[in-house]
Amino acid sequence: ELLRYSKKFLCGLYRMAHGNLNNSVKGFDVFFKNVSPEAYERPSFGYQATSEIIQELAQKGLIERDTPEYIRLTQKGLDKCKEDCC
């Protein structure tokens, strides 16, 4: 399930950052808007899931943290998005 969420999350980040490596986006916004809008009713679930997804994608080198809240795509992540999201 995390894998499916990760792909939705990555594609959502790609759209919200307009495919630009320099655009940082709030990780929780990506999750709530693209992966699980109903998580607004269960914020603790949303925050935990977002943390796990961000950690997994960062370990794979697809995203990086600018700050604890803001993330952005890496070149590797952008290439993957062009394959998977377009």
Side-chain angles (χ1 to χ4, degrees), residues 67-81:
T67 68
E69 284 186 25
Y70 284 85
I71 55 170
R72 62 184 166 145
L73 289 167
T74 61
Q75 185 61 53
K76 183 178 176 183
L78 183 62
D79 294 343
K80 181 144 183 67
C81 288

Side-chain angles (χ1 to χ4, degrees), residues 44-79:
S44 62
F45 158 75
Y47 288 118
Q48 182 179 351
T50 301
S51 271
E52 289 175 21
I53 291 168
I54 289 173
Q55 186 174 356
E56 183 201 352
L57 293 174
Q59 283 175 344
K60 290 180 177 177
L62 301 174
I63 64 171
E64 61 188 18
R65 286 185 188 268
D66 273 351
T67 68
E69 284 186 25
Y70 284 85
I71 55 170
R72 62 184 166 145
L73 289 167
T74 61
Q75 185 61 53
K76 183 178 176 183
L78 183 62
D79 294 343

Side-chain angles (χ1 to χ4, degrees), residues 24-42:
S24 295
V25 180
K26 209 171 186 181
F28 299 122
D29 289 347
V30 176
F31 183 82
F32 289 130
K33 290 177 182 168
N34 299 281
V35 179
S36 183
E38 63 276 7
Y40 277 121
E41 295 158 20
R42 296 169 44 213

Side-chain angles (χ1 to χ4, degrees), residues 10-11 14 73 76-86:
L10 198 61
C11 291
Y14 176 71
L73 289 167
K76 183 178 176 183
L78 183 62
D79 294 343
K80 181 144 183 67
C81 288
K82 287 178 179 174
E83 277 176 32
D84 293 356
C85 307
C86 295

